[in-house]
Amino acid sequence: MQEKIPQQLALRYAKYVDDKEFDNMDSIMVDDVKMGSPGFATETLAEFKEQLKFLNTFSGTLHMIGNQLGEWNGGTYSGETYCVAAHIYEKEGVPHKMEMGIRYKDSISAVGDTYKYTERYLDVVWQQDLPLTME
């Protein structure tokens, strides 16, 4: 069912990021995927996968996918995906969590017998960075 494709791609994207399986992005993005946000932009999948390596500085990440709204026009989808992303790291011996509220602007197209992202832009709506307590 075509309407489930955006959710499935977003869930796979979150899993690949959280598992640091950046090479799996090939299965959900075209080679000339356009990615960007304020502060970075890439024009190819290879450039984007190189950018993802900064996530290796975190001991863990967790991306929770939320609202999705968009529409299909033939084999092309345009829409938006909400996400809350947590990034765990240590600062001066203290565990921290940097958390962001993100709205992705997504474009998805049919590629052969599958669907892939052709563009994905993220807008960070809010961000906070706090010491992490385990109590």
Side-chain angles (χ1 to χ4, degrees):
M1 298 184 106
Q2 198 177 37
E3 59 270 0
K4 293 187 182 251
I5 291 165
Q7 180 187 32
Q8 289 300 308
L9 287 176
L11 294 173
R12 285 189 182 107
Y13 178 92
K15 178 174 178 35
Y16 298 158
V17 168
D18 290 340
D19 290 345
K20 297 181 176 138
E21 296 175 347
F22 308 137
D23 284 338
N24 287 341
M25 292 294 181
D26 296 30
S27 70
I28 62 169
M29 296 181 162
V30 297
D31 288 338
D32 60 347
V33 66
K34 310 281 186 277
M35 297 291 296
S37 74
F40 92 92
T42 62
E43 298 288 323
T44 68
L45 179 55
E47 289 175 352
F48 179 60
K49 289 193 306 187
E50 190 64 31
Q51 287 284 324
L52 285 173
K53 290 180 181 177
F54 90 94
L55 292 171
N56 290 326
T57 63
F58 299 102
S59 60
T61 62
L62 185 67
H63 290 70
M64 300 299 297
I65 303 303
N67 304 350
Q68 278 191 310
L69 184 61
E71 54 186 55
W72 287 94
N73 184 3
T76 303
Y77 171 86
S78 294
E80 190 170 54
T81 300
Y82 286 42
C83 175
V84 175
H87 303 75
I88 308 302
Y89 69 101
E90 195 170 291
K91 181 163 86 176
E92 299 175 0
V94 177
H96 275 69
K97 177 175 72 169
M98 190 267 292
E99 195 169 55
M100 298 183 293
I102 300 169
R103 292 172 69 167
Y104 289 99
K105 307 279 191 267
D106 297 327
S107 295
I108 298 167
S109 291
V111 178
D113 61 350
T114 190
Y115 290 87
K116 294 185 176 189
Y117 287 113
T118 56
E119 295 181 356
R120 193 154 218 230
Y121 296 98
L122 65 99
D123 179 27
V124 177
V125 178
W126 54 263
Q127 181 175 327
Q128 68 175 1
D129 191 343
L130 298 170
L132 184 61
T133 60
M134 303 304 247
E135 301 171 14

